[in-house]
Amino acid sequence: MTEYLEAQWNAKIPLPFVRDQLRRQRALRNMSQEEFGRRANYSASTVSAVETGTRSLDLPYAKRADEILDSGGLLESLLKSAQGDGEPTWFKPWVEAERQGRQLRFFEPMLIPGLFQTENYARAVLRLDDTLPESEVEQQVATRMGRQEILTRERPPQIVGVIDESALRRREAIMGEQLAHLLRMAELPHVHINVVPLTAGLHIGLSGPLMLVMLTDGTWVGHLDHQLGGSPIAAEEEVATLLARWEGVRGIALPEDQSVALIKEIESQHGPQ
């Protein structure tokens, strides 16, 4: 690694800088988004979404870009630097379990789940904590985007996410692109999204978000978020309770096709993306 890249690594550069470099490297070679996409086997719309931050920039994309642009591993190195080690200590055991998992189950009553967040949405959520310096926000955004590599790896886990409709109806400007991204995620064959409609009224899931993962040995572990961080759940009885509650919220959620139709309806209210 060059001294320049080592310095960037130590500085834990922000993710937008990596996207700027991606655009710059492409422009230096007088290559349009259409031509780059054709060579890399991506659509022009995907290339545009990655470069503008509405779609995550992951390591496979960076590696392919380095090959197409002959940039000597620059983009991959910068992305690894940006991703750094931004997850809080209390969340690292879950991230490791997530990477090793065969099945993922989660429910979110208020927010879009982290694995489905766009870069802009994740940044907006993290900025809600006004005690975080901007550098730490960017580092956590990059790390969150890095987690999403499991969605597109060669053998991805089966993912079933249940989201309360209220999380989809936030009025922030970023919601249009976020909902469009959620619909793209729903097209993946191993991703299943169900929405609990507002008409369901009060339900057990409103007690808070939960996440569950089945490891390679068939055992389940869980994770609960709260205001001060999060807690891993491994005791058999507690995991069984979380599984029962997850089944409860999925049981009152709309089927996949109706859930996707509802997301499309809400997304259409934000205008063209």
Side-chain angles (χ1 to χ4, degrees):
M1 186 183 294
T2 65
E3 291 183 2
Y4 169 77
L5 289 181
E6 287 178 354
Q8 295 296 337
W9 186 285
N10 291 332
K12 301 226 182 305
I13 59 175
L15 192 56
F17 177 84
V18 186
R19 295 187 187 279
D20 288 343
Q21 288 301 307
L22 174 60
R23 289 189 293 268
R24 181 173 182 272
Q25 292 297 317
R26 180 176 57 76
L28 284 173
R29 288 152 184 82
N30 295 315
M31 191 180 299
S32 68
Q33 290 181 337
E34 291 77 8
E35 181 182 355
F36 175 85
R38 187 168 55 252
R39 294 190 184 189
N41 200 28
Y42 293 109
S43 67
S45 61
T46 295
V47 175
S48 175
V50 169
E51 292 187 359
T52 58
T54 59
R55 188 166 184 147
S56 63
L57 170 59
D58 57 21
L59 285 174
Y61 190 102
K63 289 178 182 178
R64 184 63 177 147
D66 278 326
E67 293 172 3
I68 299 298
L69 302 173
D70 193 26
S71 46
L74 172 69
L75 299 170
E76 180 185 357
S77 297
L78 291 177
L79 181 57
K80 285 180 177 179
S81 172
Q83 290 175 351
D85 192 17
E87 292 292 359
T89 302
W90 53 263
F91 198 59
K92 290 179 182 178
W94 171 258
V95 173
E96 186 58 32
E98 198 175 62
R99 289 176 183 148
Q100 297 178 16
R102 292 165 50 192
Q103 296 182 24
L104 285 166
R105 306 283 185 265
F106 47 78
F107 168 71
E108 271 288 351
M110 302 301 291
L111 297 170
I112 303 300
L115 283 179
F116 296 155
Q117 291 178 4
T118 65
E119 189 176 314
N120 289 330
Y121 184 95
R123 184 174 291 110
V125 170
L126 289 165
R127 281 176 176 163
L128 295 176
D129 181 354
D130 58 10
T131 66
L132 284 180
E134 188 64 18
S135 60
E136 190 170 341
V137 168
E138 290 300 330
Q139 188 177 351
Q140 290 195 31
V141 168
T143 304
R144 185 165 299 182
M145 296 302 100
R147 281 175 57 206
Q148 297 178 5
E149 289 177 30
I150 68 170
L151 295 169
T152 55
R153 70 189 185 194
E154 185 175 353
R155 291 179 179 268
Q158 181 199 61
I159 299 174
V160 185
V162 181
I163 309 171
D164 197 271
E165 183 180 345
S166 60
L168 307 176
R169 291 195 176 276
R170 304 295 179 190
R171 300 309 304 171
E172 281 76 9
I174 56 173
M175 286 305 298
E177 68 176 32
Q178 174 59 71
L179 292 170
H181 179 69
L182 191 62
L183 289 168
R184 289 192 293 269
M185 295 298 97
E187 294 175 355
L188 298 174
H190 54 283
V191 173
H192 309 276
I193 298 175
N194 300 93
V195 177
V196 176
L198 294 177
T199 54
L202 296 175
H203 58 84
I204 188 64
L206 295 178
S207 298
L210 62 89
M211 299 185 289
L212 290 150
V213 59
M214 187 177 75
L215 303 176
T216 54
D217 62 0
T219 60
W220 287 88
V221 295
H223 183 88
L224 294 176
D225 285 336
H226 52 74
Q227 285 284 342
L228 298 180
S231 304
I233 307 297
E236 185 175 345
E237 183 176 346
E238 293 178 336
V239 170
T241 298
L242 289 186
L243 282 166
R245 293 192 176 187
W246 184 85
E247 291 289 352
V249 293
R250 191 186 186 193
I252 61 173
L254 298 172
E256 281 187 70
D257 58 343
Q258 294 180 33
S259 295
V260 169
L262 178 58
I263 297 170
K264 287 180 178 179
E265 177 190 337
I266 299 172
E267 187 251 351
S268 70
Q269 298 170 10
H270 291 269
Q273 300 303 309

